[in-house]
Amino acid sequence: MDSREDDGGEPLSRMAEWRDVTPLPQDDGPNPVVPIAYKEEFRETMDYFRAIYKADERSPRALRLTRRAIHLNPGNYTVWHFRRLVLEALNADLDEELDFLQRIANSNSKNYQLWHHRRWVVERLGANAGAKELNLIKKILSLDAKNYHAWSHRQWVLQALGGWEDELDYCQQLLEEDIFNNSAWNQRYFVVTRSPFLGGLKAMRASEVRYTVEAILANPNNECPWRYLRGLYKDDIKALVNDPEISSVCLKVINTKNNYVFALKMLLDLLCHGFQPCHEFRDSVVALRTSDTDPLDPDLSMAICDILEHVDSLRASYWIWRKNKLSVAAV
Amino acid sequence: MAELAVDKHVKYILAVEKNKDSFESVVMDHLRMNGAYWGLTALDLLGKLDSVNVDEVISWILKCQHESGGFSGNIGHDPHILYTLSAVQVLALFNKLDVLDIDKVATYITGLQNEDGSFSGDMWGEVDTRFSYIAICCLSILCCLGKINVEKAVSYILSCKNLDGGFGCTPGVFCCVGALALTGSLHYVDKDLLGWWLCERQVKSGGLNGRPEKLPDVCYSWWVLSSLIMIDRVHWIDKEKLVKFILDCQDVENGGISDRPDDAVDVYHTYFGVAGLSLLNYPGLKAIDPAYALPVDVVNRIFFSG
């Protein structure tokens, strides 16, 4: 944790400011035989915290004490909760509180209590805090671009306070840095489907398909854009089947005979939903075979299941089930 | 293939439980109740629950109960639904649920249900589907699930986006599937769709990740695996490869299991690794129930004893 947040670590018992307080020790047994320095500081801080908490003292020094306790143990939800009571009682400057949270964010980036507290602060700051908050979250994400808490919080800020205008560009930038970042793809989906400035999923679909196809062709083994494509056609499977760009990218990837597993899976889904392939599709699937032992199944869907059973062998049982389901449906 | 270093893991867990001075123990102080659940359940799965002093544990747990009926993470902390479930689960492990005033605990939990069927974690209001699962699991263990509005709880869970095979997070998926399993509502789940998304979490090394293009982590051997088992699609992953991955995450010298091979161990991943192996029927381990996250014999004892 950032050492600037801990009042320098001087023992509270030696500080004049705390002379009037009797610390309340934890009531659970004898002291450990070998006290360690940070353990002593922790115990002392929590003893004083307990005293202040019991007395319900909502003062400036109580606020400083919660900061010290948070520094020593940021997971302690009681301390965070009491800090909120004190902030309210003191009518404290919540902009400063946000700055404090930002300073300790990176060492606590997956701490539920911190993010809950942050949301509480931003809620109270209101619409004016939106832009600053989005910027601050960007900084956190620049160190860990997949932090689920940060992304959830960011989505909440957008929905509660706005700031959608630059979000698609931000997703673009993150994807340029790392096209495998599923969180960025997820955020892109969030923006495309919910931003009040973009016209909604259907309006954005064509351009998003083009963008995604490009990403696929650059890295066909990247699971993210394939999932994104499916998302673009959520609840509209007919349109997925009828979009020539989708079947075309499958064909292109399969023809490279490299990293074609996701392409085969997508083609299979298209076939299952009524896609009528021209002979090129069958030719390209046939060309994938490396052994000449068994002839390829005359039904293209079954043939794909056979191939996937071998090339996606971790999920062999799934592909056998899938093939079986097809033959049942065909009857 | 490596084997499960049972004795080393037992020693590791017991050492963590006893050592109140370690840095790990200091930062985990407020969630000691969770730590107790992870450590003790793992010990039970390894067949060594009797290594622990029952009375000491029970006495400490009861000191963590508050007037409201809820339990805190440790003595001197505030109650929260997270620690209430862990407390009840640990008492169930020791067959000591009778020390509880069940109505009191049930009142605490029912008080946390909101209008829309969701659950808050504590009286200060944070809402999360984790808490729905926790409430349902806890009351189910106490045999009083009917005290909450189950219908509303289920419809809230179904309204969350974790189940459409889209962009959910796997602990969230587990909580939703677990809650639906415990309320007899799994028929609402498209098991083929969800099963497919879950089985795609298995990567080349045999481990499971939580989201596309992320690294595998032993804890997903629980979140993903138990979900697959609950929807009856576990045969869609390569179980042997997953067993091997988990075994590779052991520290066979000092005991304990880490998130992935060669990382530092902790009791959280030790529990999830052992629990995952149990779900995969690794020989010598007790069976664990995927919905209750307790040994099957403990669950049977709750529901089938006289």
Side-chain angles (χ1 to χ4, degrees), chain B residues 5-197:
Chain B
V6 173
D7 292 336
K8 296 274 179 166
H9 298 319
V10 170
K11 280 207 177 78
Y12 167 75
I13 293 169
L14 291 174
V16 165
E17 289 295 302
K18 292 205 170 93
N19 184 0
K20 291 190 161 64
D21 289 334
S22 70
F23 185 65
E24 185 182 9
S25 129
V26 165
V27 297
M28 279 182 45
D29 174 73
H30 62 291
L31 51 72
R32 193 161 172 70
M33 192 64 74
N34 282 163
Y37 161 74
W38 297 324
L40 294 169
T41 309
L43 281 177
D44 198 11
L45 294 174
L46 294 164
K48 294 284 197 262
L49 188 61
D50 52 8
S51 314
V52 167
N53 184 321
V54 188
D55 294 326
E56 259 179 36
V57 175
I58 307 299
S59 144
W60 166 72
I61 289 178
L62 290 175
K63 283 192 188 146
C64 294
Q65 188 169 30
H66 290 247
E67 262 314 294
S68 58
F71 288 80
S72 51
N74 205 342
I75 297 169
H77 292 257
D78 284 340
H80 196 283
I81 206 174
L82 287 167
Y83 309 115
T84 305
L85 174 62
S86 291
V88 167
Q89 285 171 316
V90 172
L91 289 172
L93 281 179
F94 289 114
N95 197 17
K96 293 281 188 194
L97 289 170
D98 53 7
V99 308
L100 285 176
D101 176 344
I102 287 176
D103 281 335
K104 215 168 157 196
V105 181
T107 303
Y108 174 73
I109 292 187
T110 53
L112 293 171
Q113 187 167 28
N114 302 308
E115 265 307 298
D116 61 358
S118 68
F119 281 84
S120 298
D122 60 13
M123 56 195 278
W124 309 111
E126 184 196 354
V127 172
D128 193 306
T129 46
R130 288 178 296 155
F131 306 146
S132 297
Y133 165 73
I134 285 169
I136 287 168
C137 185
C138 195
L139 290 179
S140 184
I141 291 171
L142 298 175
C143 301
C144 54
L145 187 54
K147 295 201 170 179
I148 55 163
N149 186 329
V150 176
E151 210 184 296
K152 274 196 157 178
V154 168
S155 66
Y156 175 77
I157 290 163
L158 292 172
S159 74
C160 297
K161 305 217 352 103
N162 287 314
L163 301 171
D164 61 1
F167 302 97
C169 77
T170 41
V173 169
F174 165 78
C175 288
C176 290
V177 174
L180 293 175
L182 293 175
T183 54
S185 316
L186 278 176
H187 51 281
Y188 291 114
V189 176
D190 183 337
K191 295 181 185 147
D192 293 334
L193 182 61
L194 183 61
W196 174 63
W197 190 82

Side-chain angles (χ1 to χ4, degrees), chain A residues 53 77 223 234 265 315 317, chain B residues 78 164 199-201 235:
Chain A
Y53 184 60
Y77 52 98
E223 188 181 351
K234 192 175 166 156
K265 291 179 184 182
R315 285 162 276 276
S317 304
Chain B
D78 284 340
D164 61 1
C199 79
E200 295 246 288
R201 295 307 107 232
H235 49 287

Side-chain angles (χ1 to χ4, degrees), chain A residues 29-43:
Chain A
N31 289 324
V33 173
V34 183
I36 301 167
Y38 54 73
K39 180 73 165 94
E40 183 50 46
E41 187 187 356
F42 175 77
R43 197 209 336 265

